Amino acid sequence: MSDFPRWKYALVALVLLFGIIYALPNAFPPVPSVQVLATHGAPLDASVKQKVADALTAQKVAYSGLAIEGDHLVADFPNADVQAKAADVVKGALGDNYTVALNLASTVPGWLRAIHASSMPLGLDLQGGVHFLMAVDQNAVVDKQEERYADDIRSLLREKNIRYESVTRNAQRGQGIGVVLRSAADRSAASDAIATEYPDLVVRDGASTGDRFLLTASVKPEKLRELALATIRQNTATLRNRINALGVSEPLIQQQGEDQIVVELAGVQNPAEAKKVIGAIATLEYRAGIGYPGDPRAVEAARTGNVPPDANLYYERGTNRPVLVSKRIIATGDELVDASSGVDQQSGTPKVDVTLSASGAKKMLDFTSANVGKPMAVVYVETVYDTKIVDGKEVQVPHTTQEVISDATIQGVFGKQFQTTGLANPKEASELALLLKGGSLAAPMNIASQSVIGPSMGQDNIQKGLRAVLLGLGLVLLAAAIYYHLFGLVADIALFFNLVILVAVMSMIGVTLTMPGIAGIVLTLGMAIDANVLICERVREELRNGSSPHAAIRAGYDKAWATILDANVTHLIAALALTTMGSGPIKGFGVTLLIGILTSMFTSVTVTHAITALIHGNRKLKTLSV
Amino acid sequence: MEIFNHNSNVPFLHWRKISIVIAILLMIASVGLLLTRGLNYGLDFTGGISVEVKYDHTIDIADVRKALDQAGIENPVVQSLGGSRQVLIRLQPKGDGKAGAAAPGEGASARADKVAASVMAALKKERPDAVENSHSFVSPQVGDELKSDGSIAAIFVIIGIGVYLWIRFERRFAIAALATEVHDVLVTLGVISLVQREFDLTVLASVLAVIGYSINDKVVVFDRIRELFRLSRKAEPEEILNRSINTTLSRTIITSLFTGITMAALYFFGGPQVHGFAITMLIGIVVGTLSSIFVASPILLWLGVSKKDLMPQTKDNPELARRP
């Protein structure tokens, strides 16, 4: 006479099994490790492993594991302090051809990893590291655009032989460019010319006094919005490139809102190092090429060190082949307006379209007219400032790296717009476009907030968090069992599974576990029991009103359900609002709460109903233990 | 086991004038506190630099202040963080706001690193067992943004819940719930202001969670009110409301106790990071539970809730009935 359908038992069993399996990886804590990756074509083999082992032994750094996994070498350590010391030792022993990164190596068994079960990533407050919030200066983007358009309008008017008195940016940012002309006829000619040449500008006639005819050209608001979006995307991409060079494993670089970027680097304890890389200044130089990458002359120069006096020897990014580049600079990153990747209509191969500003275009035109068929190289220059103490004073020492990111043959005469074709694949094209734009970092960035969390504090927080969860859970389990007897015990089983399923879902989605997230878990546990309290109180009521035990259970669940649904939906609305609050501690808490409410509705109602039906199902009952 | 007599019939609504007056007084007092004393905003909202320090042995806050004073560090706010071995030191950004506001960014953040280092040097000079746990720097702009985001989130929650209740129940229920909600938030903030507990992001999260928790409580009572109105033949609103509060009383208090237990566990064992969260939640649970019993239903009665508003919509339309 069970009123609980069989398929629901199957569902409950299935979900519980699934919950256990996907929550399981969290029982295997990751170990602090150091990851070594070879760069510049250096080998990574048993000899490197031996070198690392020798260096660690010589410095008396104890390690618990050392192995080559795929393309990198991983060494495990007992705690974060040893890990940090070991990273320094390994860095010193291997030199510049290897990147050494701090990491947390997973100890999850292979069969769990095979079904994509993994543990929750830990937030910075649980594993230590640095957190930056970067604010992108959107004003600078508007400034740059308006300055460029002023420049372009000047050369356009000259080109069209329209006499003008002045072309200047209006005093207020975003108010456009003011053009002063000498006659109404000139003004309409200028207006037409600007409107056809630059569709992104809105041209309006202004007031005219005497022989001053004013024309205002302002950038369309939708274009500005588009620019702002492109800027932050580009800044995020540039940051990602630079941070990858830093060798931090799994950095978090995320756009937040319209003008902020969050950067979280786990394991990094020295913010100065990270800031240096983030604050690097990159630029581009278009230069005349001498030969191509891997040319015999370049190889010879690289081997002997005899570089021709009018040339520089650089290496090509990615392939590391030497290339000779003329010292003569044609155009620089400042003059690059836009670079975007696409597909060449004629050949169907990937390409990158480049737009230069008026001044850059003129120089490019002059150069290409005389050099068709010759190579042209793009050199990427990145400057990082090191702070050094010299004679007790802080001195900023620039440290510059240069590499060739593109080397192509000039196919024809071009100026303002041109394209680079013959790229191997679309990925390469988009990478090149990104690098070109990165060379003219779209907008300056400020560090709006930063925090540095020590590794021992992370350990401490994990322990405290775990203790709070277990104690909170234990106390509620005890209280429920005492107050509601058998029904309380059933609720306890459900509550325990609620924790398991909550952890499983969080692990599957990949929610980063933080301290506020743990607070959310504890709160969820405390509130999940509410549904069971509602059910138990209802069952008691029904019994008091003279219902038979089976009828009391059925009516209790039925009547409580409407209440549980209403209460949880309103609660869900609150949790949803929390998740929209940026990416800080509030969001972590909100996401946990949101998932917790959903899982608790299932465990508190369906799971307890299944167990209750299983216990009381086919027996004749005189009383209920509630 | 039962703590509450299930036949209890406490005349909660009989005391409605007193309870509403108390609620209004509490709200006025809270608003007064918020206006005069304000909230002790944490670094998240004010901007500035904070350094969290852990000692191996017990440390007196006064000693920390003295050590900082001797090193010439101006106006530090020193707080104990759970226990006597951890302290939090907060410094406002220098430059009277002007220089700091105009050009925060890398300069300011590099300065933060230096300030943190000099704080640690000063503390280590007095007590070598001082260890830096963490340090943070927040620019004032970020703080301002957070304040407005927080207010928007709170308003969004309250309106969202109001709309849901309006649809699921009835207009009066939505209004009563929202009024009580505003009361709960204000009084909770008032208590935080009274004890001058630091108001940081996790406390804000907690205040928003209090809204969720306390609405939960109200909905359970409202649900019972709707049910009893529909069931009873002659429904005297005051009696129905009173019966609803009484029948759900056991649940209201047991749930609060259970949630309170977990928050107490969090408070005592979760460490200083979640202290503010747990204590705010505990305050909110007490305020929310009391307002579910004493405030929400009197407002509902006062708004004039009746049986006919809650009957399921029937087909007969008065417009149609009037026609021949």
Side-chain angles (χ1 to χ4, degrees):
Chain A
M1 71 149 281
S2 171
D3 54 1
F4 203 75
R6 201 163 280 175
W7 66 269
K8 271 196 178 173
Y9 281 120
L11 177 75
V12 167
L14 219 65
V15 171
L16 294 188
L17 186 71
F18 155 88
I20 292 171
I21 290 174
Y22 280 87
L24 201 56
N26 294 289
F28 300 91
V31 290
S33 70
V34 167
Q35 217 178 47
V36 179
L37 226 109
T39 53
H40 301 114
L44 190 82
D45 49 26
S47 68
V48 177
K49 186 178 156 186
Q50 193 54 46
K51 214 165 155 186
V52 171
D54 290 346
L56 290 173
T57 321
Q59 296 291 322
K60 295 198 178 70
V61 180
Y63 56 93
S64 49
L66 184 66
I68 293 175
E69 287 175 16
D71 60 347
H72 54 265
L73 178 77
V74 178
D76 299 340
F77 300 94
N79 65 54
D81 291 337
V82 179
Q83 176 198 27
K85 192 180 171 202
D88 289 342
V89 170
V90 174
K91 244 178 238 169
L94 292 179
D96 280 346
N97 286 339
Y98 296 86
T99 42
V100 178
L102 299 175
N103 196 4
L104 283 173
S106 172
T107 55
V108 176
W111 64 274
L112 276 174
R113 268 188 270 185
I115 54 166
H116 299 289
S118 51
S119 50
M120 272 184 273
L122 298 179
L124 284 188
D125 50 352
L126 297 181
Q127 63 165 315
V130 291
H131 165 108
F132 294 110
L133 182 68
M134 319 283 299
V136 178
D137 186 358
Q138 296 283 14
N139 285 341
V141 181
V142 179
D143 286 350
K144 200 170 159 189
Q145 286 301 316
E146 290 190 341
E147 263 153 31
R148 178 175 75 80
Y149 276 120
D151 219 29
D152 285 355
I153 289 171
R154 251 176 247 131
S155 56
L156 177 74
L157 294 180
R158 264 198 301 272
E159 199 180 298
K160 302 261 177 192
N161 280 325
I162 301 168
R163 299 200 316 144
Y164 64 88
E165 202 171 290
S166 68
V167 177
T168 45
R169 276 189 64 198
N170 288 338
Q172 209 182 341
R173 178 178 297 124
Q175 289 301 306
I177 299 122
V179 185
V180 180
L181 298 124
R182 303 246 170 91
S183 71
D186 276 352
R187 180 163 72 178
S188 69
S191 174
D192 288 350
I194 294 171
T196 34
E197 190 75 10
Y198 303 109
D200 290 329
L201 293 180
V202 185
V203 192
R204 268 192 321 273
D205 287 358
S208 37
T209 47
D211 59 347
R212 286 168 53 91
F213 293 85
L214 186 67
L215 190 69
T216 311
S218 50
V219 187
K220 283 182 184 164
E222 57 262 35
K223 174 72 181 172
L224 277 180
R225 219 172 10 252
E226 190 186 305
L227 274 170
L229 270 176
T231 306
I232 186 127
R233 221 176 300 134
Q234 187 186 326
N235 275 8
T236 312
T238 310
L239 269 180
R240 186 162 292 140
N241 269 340
R242 290 182 185 170
I243 286 165
N244 283 344
L246 195 67
V248 175
S249 65
E250 293 169 37
L252 173 91
I253 301 139
Q254 207 171 52
Q255 182 185 334
Q256 179 184 312
E258 274 174 10
D259 53 5
Q260 288 176 337
I261 300 169
V262 175
V263 178
E264 289 197 340
L265 309 172
V268 173
Q269 287 306 319
N270 180 5
E273 179 78 9
K275 259 188 241 178
K276 217 166 63 189
V277 175
I278 290 170
I281 299 161
T283 185
L284 288 178
E285 286 166 2
Y286 275 94
R287 298 213 213 167
I290 302 171
Y292 293 95
D295 231 35
R297 264 193 303 166
V299 175
E300 180 70 14
R303 198 173 58 79
T304 60
N306 287 332
V307 181
D310 61 340
N312 290 112
L313 178 73
Y314 295 137
Y315 290 86
E316 193 184 31
R317 187 187 177 93
T319 63
N320 238 8
R321 287 179 302 179
V323 57
L324 286 171
V325 176
S326 161
K327 279 185 176 165
R328 188 180 157 205
I329 297 169
I330 310 160
T332 62
D334 302 346
E335 290 158 322
L336 182 120
V337 173
D338 192 22
S340 59
S341 60
V343 177
D344 187 19
Q345 295 291 324
Q346 283 163 8
S347 65
T349 56
K351 62 159 185 177
V352 174
D353 284 310
V354 179
T355 311
L356 294 181
S357 70
S359 61
K362 190 173 175 305
K363 287 186 271 183
M364 187 58 81
L365 189 67
D366 288 349
F367 178 79
T368 51
S369 329
N371 292 286
V372 174
K374 290 183 182 162
M376 182 172 74
V378 184
V379 183
Y380 186 79
V381 187
E382 194 168 72
T383 311
V384 174
Y385 285 91
D386 276 327
T387 310
K388 284 194 178 133
I389 311 275
V390 180
D391 301 331
K393 277 186 201 158
E394 279 184 13
V395 182
Q396 298 268 314
V397 184
H399 179 79
T400 310
T401 44
Q402 284 151 318
E403 53 187 357
V404 171
I405 54 170
S406 157
D407 197 311
T409 308
I410 299 165
Q411 305 281 3
V413 177
F414 52 79
K416 188 173 171 54
Q417 276 170 327
F418 59 96
Q419 48 186 234
T420 304
T421 51
L423 296 157
N425 52 54
K427 185 165 170 273
E428 193 178 310
S430 68
E431 270 173 16
L432 177 60
L434 199 72
L435 273 172
L436 288 171
K437 285 205 281 187
S440 58
L441 185 63
M445 281 184 288
N446 289 325
I447 295 176
S449 83
Q450 82 173 49
S451 54
V452 184
I453 299 125
S456 58
M457 184 169 163
Q459 278 296 324
D460 218 33
N461 278 342
I462 292 183
Q463 275 171 15
K464 283 180 179 149
L466 194 66
R467 210 161 42 185
V469 170
L470 294 181
L471 246 136
L473 180 70
L475 286 171
V476 171
L477 294 185
L478 195 70
I482 292 174
Y483 199 73
Y484 293 118
H485 311 294
L486 182 59
F487 271 69
L489 282 173
V490 171
D492 284 354
I493 298 172
L495 191 63
F496 175 74
F497 273 114
N498 185 24
L499 178 62
V500 172
I501 296 174
L502 174 60
V503 169
V505 173
M506 284 173 76
S507 307
M508 272 192 76
I509 306 178
V511 177
T512 305
L513 188 68
T514 57
M515 227 27 216
I518 291 178
I521 292 178
V522 178
L523 181 64
T524 305
L525 292 179
M527 295 188 63
I529 198 80
D530 177 48
N532 296 108
V533 173
L534 278 165
I535 293 166
C536 291
E537 291 288 332
R538 272 293 185 168
V539 173
R540 281 184 177 181
E541 248 178 77
E542 294 299 323
L543 286 176
R544 276 200 296 271
N545 292 344
S547 301
S548 73
H550 280 295
I553 294 176
R554 198 177 308 130
Y557 272 94
D558 276 354
K559 287 186 178 169
W561 171 243
T563 315
I564 293 170
L565 191 66
D566 276 337
N568 277 301
V569 169
T570 45
H571 201 193
L572 216 53
I573 294 173
L576 209 59
L578 283 166
T579 58
T580 61
M581 286 274 304
S583 76
I586 296 194
K587 190 175 182 177
F589 168 73
V591 169
T592 315
L593 205 59
L594 192 74
I595 301 171
I597 293 168
L598 293 173
T599 57
S600 77
M601 267 163 73
F602 176 74
T603 54
S604 304
V605 182
T606 316
V607 174
T608 60
H609 203 171
I611 302 173
T612 312
L614 208 59
I615 297 173
H616 301 103
N618 297 314
R619 288 193 290 144
K620 280 206 167 20
L621 298 168
K622 281 211 179 83
T623 53
L624 279 181
S625 168
V626 61
Chain B
M1 182 175 149
E2 267 187 74
I3 297 177
F4 305 96
N5 177 6
H6 53 260
N7 285 322
S8 69
N9 195 8
V10 187
F12 290 110
L13 283 181
H14 187 70
W15 307 325
R16 63 177 178 270
K17 278 184 186 143
I18 306 169
S19 58
I20 289 284
V21 166
I22 293 175
I24 290 174
L25 285 180
L26 278 175
M27 273 169 79
I28 293 173
S30 299
V31 171
L33 273 170
L34 289 173
L35 288 178
T36 54
R37 258 178 114 119
L39 290 168
N40 175 17
Y41 283 113
L43 182 77
D44 297 334
F45 295 99
T46 59
I49 300 155
S50 82
V51 185
E52 211 187 296
V53 186
K54 191 174 176 179
Y55 287 88
D56 282 344
H57 309 289
T58 311
I59 178 85
D60 201 25
I61 297 277
D63 290 345
V64 177
R65 284 213 185 91
K66 212 171 78 191
L68 293 173
D69 207 39
Q70 275 168 5
I73 291 165
E74 288 168 31
N75 303 325
V77 179
V78 184
Q79 275 173 294
S80 152
L81 273 182
S84 53
R85 298 196 299 125
Q86 280 186 58
V87 290
L88 179 76
I89 297 154
R90 246 193 312 143
L91 300 158
Q92 291 296 320
K94 275 185 192 165
D96 308 307
K98 257 191 188 167
E106 249 134 281
S109 114
R111 209 163 56 218
D113 290 343
K114 268 183 223 152
V115 171
S118 63
V119 164
M120 284 316 295
L123 295 180
K124 278 214 166 93
K125 209 172 135 197
E126 295 293 317
R127 285 282 297 268
D129 61 336
V131 184
E132 177 186 317
N133 253 349
S134 70
H135 77 257
S136 317
F137 153 74
V138 176
S139 75
Q141 285 94 326
V142 174
D144 287 343
E145 252 167 61
L146 274 176
K147 271 185 217 166
S148 68
D149 279 4
S151 321
I152 291 169
I155 292 168
F156 177 83
V157 171
I158 290 178
I159 292 177
I161 289 170
V163 169
Y164 179 78
L165 290 183
W166 195 317
I167 296 169
R168 274 289 287 178
F169 289 83
E170 203 253 340
R171 182 173 50 94
R172 296 183 183 88
F173 286 83
I175 296 171
L178 292 193
T180 325
E181 220 41 59
V182 171
H183 161 270
D184 292 353
V185 172
L186 278 179
V187 174
T188 306
L189 288 176
V191 177
I192 297 170
S193 169
L194 181 72
V195 297
Q196 286 289 298
R197 182 158 259 287
E198 188 175 333
F199 189 85
D200 60 12
L201 266 184
T202 51
V203 176
L204 174 64
S206 193
V207 169
L208 295 173
V210 164
I211 301 181
Y213 176 84
S214 113
I215 201 76
N216 212 346
D217 248 18
K218 268 111 225 161
V219 166
V220 171
V221 181
F222 287 179
D223 224 68
R224 187 57 72 98
I225 293 173
R226 179 171 58 179
E227 188 189 318
L228 288 183
F229 262 125
R230 284 179 182 171
L231 284 178
S232 64
R233 282 223 201 98
K234 63 168 184 57
E236 200 52 54
E238 185 174 341
E239 198 219 316
I240 297 271
L241 262 55
N242 215 23
R243 198 133 56 85
S244 302
I245 300 174
N246 274 294
T247 41
T248 53
L249 188 63
S250 165
R251 175 266 155 200
T252 306
I253 293 173
I254 291 296
T255 294
S256 302
L257 278 180
F258 282 7
T259 314
I261 289 173
T262 57
M263 285 301 109
L266 193 64
Y267 181 80
F268 288 110
F269 301 100
Q273 265 71 37
V274 288
H275 263 177
F277 178 89
I279 198 84
T280 309
M281 207 60 219
L282 282 169
I283 297 169
I285 290 171
V286 173
V287 175
T289 305
L290 290 176
S291 73
S292 304
I293 300 171
F294 292 103
V295 184
S297 299
I299 297 178
L300 204 53
L301 189 66
W302 181 53
L303 289 170
V305 72
S306 65
K307 180 180 167 81
K308 99 174 174 299
D309 301 324
L310 290 164
M311 290 316 284
Q313 293 292 315
T314 44
K315 286 275 163 62
D316 49 35
N317 187 325
E319 281 290 313
L320 289 172
R322 222 176 291 149
R323 285 175 197 170

